[in-house]
Amino acid sequence: MLKATNGTIQSSIKSLYSGVSINLSGGYHHACGNSGGGFCIYPDISISIRILKRFFGITKVMIIDLDAHQGNGHERDFSADADVFIIDCFRPDIYPGDDEAKKAIDVELHVTPEDNDQDYLNTLSCIPGIIKREKPEFILYNAGTDIMEGDPLSGLNINERGVIQRDELIVKAALKNKIPICMVLSGGY
């Protein structure tokens, strides 16, 4: 996980120059600055954003967390930072259920076991408009695939095509608005 955390840092920096980057690991969104959580040890999302803010002049950041689980780690880390805008779409009745961390979410969306691809994509359809309105200088996109049918922990039913369409929606919106985006694939199990 330490190397994956470095991958998120390097990928975030690279996106500032290339426009888009992907770390095939990372996205340990249950870890925060002072503790691990879930299957996550290192808070790679928070570390990467802090490095970009401190050393690369980035002020306004957007986290788009589309993993099946609430991203309570980065939410706790940035709860007092108005320059970090958080969109989180998750299944609300599974781990972690962190009500305190939820207070940091600017746009909270939900996905349920009854949702099919079209329902899910309809829920996410507001995100391109939010990106355009908020005009972040950088987007960290946690693209969890645990929303897929058959995942034993999420119990959700989005198929492969739905995941691809979701990722295209987010990346195209970032590129259209000329906002660097780093995509991490979310992990921990």
Side-chain angles (χ1 to χ4, degrees):
M1 284 190 181
L2 186 57
K3 288 185 179 187
T5 297
N6 185 50
T8 301
I9 294 165
Q10 296 304 316
S11 187
S12 295
I13 294 167
K14 183 166 181 58
S15 73
L16 298 179
Y17 303 99
S18 66
V20 63
S21 63
I22 300 173
N23 179 13
L24 298 178
S25 188
Y28 305 126
H29 65 162
H30 299 306
C32 64
N34 62 5
S35 68
F39 298 111
C40 307
I41 299 171
Y42 302 108
D44 65 318
I45 293 171
S46 299
I47 292 169
S48 295
I49 290 170
R50 286 194 171 116
I51 287 171
L52 294 184
K53 287 171 82 80
R54 183 169 182 184
F55 298 107
F56 291 88
I58 299 297
T59 303
K60 194 168 181 182
V61 173
M62 180 177 284
I63 298 171
I64 302 174
D65 193 334
L66 303 185
D67 184 272
H69 302 87
Q70 174 195 356
N72 62 315
H74 60 72
E75 291 162 5
R76 285 183 170 272
D77 283 342
F78 295 112
S79 63
D81 190 338
D83 289 324
V84 177
F85 189 95
I86 299 173
I87 300 171
D88 197 347
C89 180
F90 57 94
R91 181 174 171 184
D93 60 340
I94 60 174
Y95 180 86
D98 189 335
D99 291 331
E100 186 63 33
K102 276 186 191 178
K103 295 175 185 175
I105 300 172
D106 295 287
V107 176
E108 181 176 335
L109 305 169
H110 295 154
V111 59
T112 70
E114 293 77 30
D115 290 339
N116 61 30
D117 288 6
Q118 195 54 54
D119 298 326
Y120 181 60
L121 293 168
N122 287 343
T123 297
L124 303 180
S125 66
C126 63
I127 296 176
I130 295 168
I131 291 171
K132 184 176 181 181
R133 182 189 75 219
E134 293 299 320
K135 297 177 177 58
E137 298 168 279
F138 172 77
I139 296 172
L140 195 303
Y141 172 36
N142 193 32
T145 55
D146 58 353
I147 61 166
M148 290 183 70
E149 57 193 351
D151 184 276
L153 296 182
S154 75
L156 297 174
N157 294 300
I158 309 305
N159 69 35
E160 183 178 333
R161 185 71 198 136
V163 173
I164 292 168
Q165 289 175 315
R166 173 201 71 177
D167 293 345
E168 288 174 343
L169 176 78
I170 303 305
V171 173
K172 284 180 180 179
L175 294 175
K176 180 178 181 181
N177 289 282
K178 297 179 175 50
I179 300 165
I181 183 169
C182 172
M183 178 176 166
V184 292
L185 298 188
S186 203
Y189 69 90

